[in-house]
Amino acid sequence: MNAQALHGHLDSLLLAVLERGALHGYAIIEALRARSDGRLDLPTGTVYPALRRLERAGHVASVWSTVNGRERRTYELTDAGRRTLAEQRAGWREFTATVGRVLDANPPSTTSG
C-alpha cells in the first residue's frame, strides 16, 4: 500500500504505533510494517515529516540519544496525542460503520412509511 492511499490516516497510524511506547524512527516504520502484515511499508521520506508535524502539534515528543555510537531520535506519545488518538479512533469507527452500511451487498431492509 502506498503512502498516497493513506492520505489523511498516517497521523492516526503513527499515534497508534506510539501508544505502546517510545520508539525511534526506524522502529516506528518496522512496527507499521509488522502490525499491517507487511502491507504498510512506508519510506522514511513519508514517516519522518509526519512525525515532525505531530511533534509541532504537541501530539508527540522526541529526544535524541546515542546508541552504539549512533545518534537517533526517539518519539513518544504525549497526553494530547493520546486524546487525539482516542478522537481519531472514534471517528474512524463511525466512518467505517457508515461506509460499510452503504457498501454492504445485502443491506438490512428498511421500511418507509
Side-chain angles (χ1 to χ4, degrees):
M1 185 175 296
N2 67 33
Q4 187 62 32
L6 297 174
H7 185 71
H9 303 289
L10 180 58
D11 290 0
S12 299
L13 295 170
L14 293 172
L15 293 175
V17 166
L18 289 170
E19 182 179 36
R20 293 185 178 178
L23 295 169
H24 60 84
Y26 184 72
I28 292 170
I29 293 169
E30 286 297 308
L32 283 169
R33 188 178 299 127
R35 287 177 65 176
S36 68
D37 294 327
R39 289 181 179 88
L40 296 178
D41 189 13
L42 302 178
T44 58
T46 297
V47 174
Y48 284 106
L51 287 168
R52 286 192 295 276
R53 183 176 59 251
L54 288 168
E55 188 170 22
R56 283 192 307 273
H59 300 170
V60 169
S62 70
V63 295
W64 283 99
S65 60
T66 304
V67 177
N68 296 327
R70 298 184 68 189
E71 292 282 319
R72 70 179 183 186
R73 190 175 226 165
T74 302
Y75 299 87
E76 185 173 23
L77 206 55
T78 63
D79 289 341
R82 289 182 199 291
R83 287 189 299 273
T84 297
L85 177 58
E87 292 166 5
Q88 290 176 351
R89 275 191 175 131
W92 175 253
R93 287 182 183 118
E94 181 180 347
F95 174 79
T96 58
T98 301
V99 170
R101 283 191 296 274
V102 173
L103 293 180
D104 189 359
N106 296 308
S109 61
T110 58
T111 58
S112 56

